[in-house]
Amino acid sequence: MAALLDDALGVHLANLAIALDPDVVAAGGGMTRVAGRILPQLRGILERAVPFPPVVVTARFTETAPLTGAMIPALDAAGRRQSSAASL
């Protein structure tokens, strides 16, 4: 089952990489707990399927990125956001 999920994720990631052509893909949140197992497989799938594969890395802000990403538009809407997201 885990291999099937890894392959499915890899196929979707490869399709996105072909369509969007990012330089880097950062895995964060819960994926960081299994990064040692899943990232090498994702890298392999991308190298085989994508003409110019992106670099796959573990996100710097592994647990707080989703919350920060959700807060930015809310703060913008409230007119309270400072000039830099780093102040969050």
Side-chain angles (χ1 to χ4, degrees):
M1 182 68 168
L4 179 63
L5 290 174
D6 292 348
D7 288 344
L9 178 60
V11 168
H12 292 297
L13 185 58
N15 285 331
L16 286 169
I18 290 168
L20 301 175
D21 193 26
D23 291 326
V24 177
V25 171
M31 288 189 63
T32 59
R33 293 184 200 109
V34 293
R37 183 183 66 81
I38 199 167
L39 293 188
Q41 293 177 339
L42 291 177
R43 287 182 186 114
I45 291 168
L46 290 174
E47 288 171 4
R48 290 189 304 273
V50 179
F52 301 100
V55 176
V56 180
V57 299
T58 302
R60 182 173 168 202
F61 302 106
T62 58
E63 298 297 327
T64 60
L67 178 59
T68 302
M71 286 176 54
I72 289 173
L75 292 172
D76 282 344
R80 296 185 184 158
R81 184 170 167 214
Q82 305 229 345
S83 62
S84 171
S87 65
L88 296 174

